[in-house]
Amino acid sequence: MECRVLSIQSHVVRGYVGNKSASFPLQVLGFEVDSINSVQFSNHTGYAHWKGQVLTADELHVLYEGIKLNNVNHYDYVLTGYTRDTSFLEMVVDIIQELKRANPNLVYVCDPVLGDHGSMYVPQNLHPVYRNKVVPVADIITPNQFEAELLTGKNISTEKDAVEVMDLLHKMGPDTVVITSSDLPPRLGDRFLVSFGSKRILMPDGTRTTQRIRIEVPKVDAVFVGTGDLFAAMLLAWTHHYPTDLKTACEKTFSVMHHVIQRTISFAHEMAGPGRRPSPAQLELRMVQSKADIEDPTIVMEATVL
């Protein structure tokens, strides 16, 4: 049975971000990917220059209507990432609700991109839309610590707080929550970041159980673009393959990230030369070169079951 994903994300001509970051890895893992490009830019906005077009909510609706008129609007997954526009986000929610009516088993994977390290990098008015409309229809969400705190109104300063915040997010809708990074002190030393995952599972006898994990991930001293988009795509893929095993799904997802980032940083430093900071172009993810790791990642970090 083939699995089809509708991915509504940014597109860049050069490099890897949004749909460019998500489509290839998902296709390599056997998923059919239908892409709607929320923007079409020459490159990501971390470069000195960028040009391009932004898709409006009405234009999104027109594209969806075309799919619907041909009766090919049946999806197993929807994947969304960075958006700057409230009307566009609300249209995405309308489309997801309609797709879920057609297929109640549809899984919506949402990266609720709001900001990081205490500051928002999208307009403030997106926050209530995510909290009140998007998260309630989502099945899997991948916030960072700042976004998880913003969505729940609760701060995370201990592992217990992180678990409570994930439980609050479950109550809002999603059965799977992964806090992709946090400021909590790692047990492996300060060269690591702590991430958390929680998954509510409905057992055959009708009872619910919750799996919770903690995983420590090596820090990298560089700014990458498109890693969050790759992460959400890989979590979609590996939770699909391991629907009742959050530990394995997270180990596979974080290991793919590790391999792609290590390959990228090695290449970037080689291109930049000794003692020079790599440019945005040199730091584009080495996606095609990581095909084997995406398909079958060597597990390089182990999750702890909480």
Side-chain angles (χ1 to χ4, degrees):
M1 179 65 188
E2 76 175 27
C3 213
R4 192 169 285 271
V5 180
L6 176 63
S7 183
I8 307 173
Q9 300 195 65
S10 317
H11 171 78
V12 287
V13 177
R14 170 66 184 255
Y16 291 94
V17 64
N19 275 331
K20 284 283 288 287
S21 245
S23 298
F24 173 74
L26 284 170
Q27 287 167 326
V28 158
L29 287 167
F31 294 83
E32 286 285 355
V33 182
D34 292 3
S35 302
I36 294 179
N37 299 328
S38 55
V39 307
Q40 172 166 265
F41 284 170
S42 52
N43 43 267
H44 71 67
T45 57
Y47 284 74
H49 309 280
W50 47 274
K51 302 233 177 248
Q53 301 82 34
V54 177
L55 196 72
T56 65
D58 288 342
E59 289 164 339
L60 168 62
H61 183 67
V62 167
L63 288 172
Y64 176 68
E65 282 297 304
I67 297 168
K68 199 165 113 182
L69 286 168
N70 290 310
N71 198 25
V72 288
N73 59 333
H74 183 93
Y75 291 98
D76 303 288
Y77 288 90
V78 176
L79 177 61
T80 67
Y82 179 76
T83 306
R84 288 193 63 83
D85 180 69
T86 50
S87 59
F88 190 90
L89 198 52
E90 285 169 341
M91 180 62 71
V92 168
V93 172
D94 290 345
I95 289 170
I96 287 164
Q97 286 172 324
E98 187 170 310
L99 291 172
K100 282 194 168 194
R101 284 193 291 274
N103 174 20
N105 295 322
L106 180 141
V107 173
Y108 171 32
V109 181
C110 169
D111 183 4
V113 182
L114 290 162
D116 205 355
H117 304 302
S119 61
M120 286 183 70
Y121 40 61
V122 298
Q124 296 271 348
N125 59 358
L126 262 79
H127 176 217
V129 181
Y130 270 111
R131 190 184 58 228
N132 302 327
K133 296 183 177 178
V134 181
V135 173
V137 297
D139 301 283
I140 298 176
I141 58 168
T142 60
N144 57 36
Q145 177 178 333
F146 173 71
E147 291 158 346
E149 291 174 335
L150 210 52
L151 290 168
T152 58
K154 180 177 168 59
N155 284 346
I156 297 173
S157 45
T158 64
E159 189 174 285
K160 184 170 169 284
D161 292 338
V163 170
E164 284 172 13
V165 163
M166 291 190 292
D167 285 345
L168 286 171
L169 288 166
H170 286 320
K171 287 196 179 88
M172 291 167 74
D175 278 337
T176 302
V177 177
V178 175
I179 298 176
T180 54
S181 61
S182 76
D183 301 328
L184 295 188
R187 290 170 191 155
L188 295 173
D190 58 9
R191 293 175 60 187
F192 286 79
L193 281 174
V194 184
S195 303
F196 295 95
S198 180
K199 187 180 182 85
R200 286 192 306 193
I201 296 168
L202 192 62
M203 302 305 276
D205 64 1
T207 58
R208 275 189 184 278
T209 178
T210 305
Q211 296 179 354
R212 297 189 184 93
I213 61 106
R214 166 192 174 112
I215 191 163
E216 304 208 352
V217 188
K219 271 186 197 171
V220 182
D221 179 29
V223 177
F224 298 101
V225 180
T227 46
D229 309 317
L230 174 61
F231 184 90
M234 291 300 86
L235 191 65
L236 182 163
W238 294 112
T239 52
H240 176 79
H241 289 302
Y242 298 94
T244 59
D245 184 356
L246 180 67
K247 182 179 186 291
T248 301
C250 283
E251 286 171 349
K252 294 253 188 194
T253 300
F254 279 102
S255 293
V256 169
M257 299 306 298
H258 177 79
H259 295 306
V260 174
I261 286 170
Q262 288 305 320
R263 183 170 284 107
T264 303
I265 198 90
S266 301
F267 175 79
H269 284 311
E270 194 182 315
M271 294 302 287
R276 301 183 67 155
R277 280 193 88 78
S279 67
Q282 290 163 340
L283 284 167
E284 290 286 6
L285 296 179
R286 302 291 284 166
M287 200 73 80
V288 173
Q289 297 77 5
S290 302
K291 178 176 173 285
D293 289 319
I294 292 165
E295 288 177 293
D296 186 17
T298 304
I299 302 300
V300 288
M301 51 201 80
E302 195 179 346
T304 309
V305 176
L306 299 178

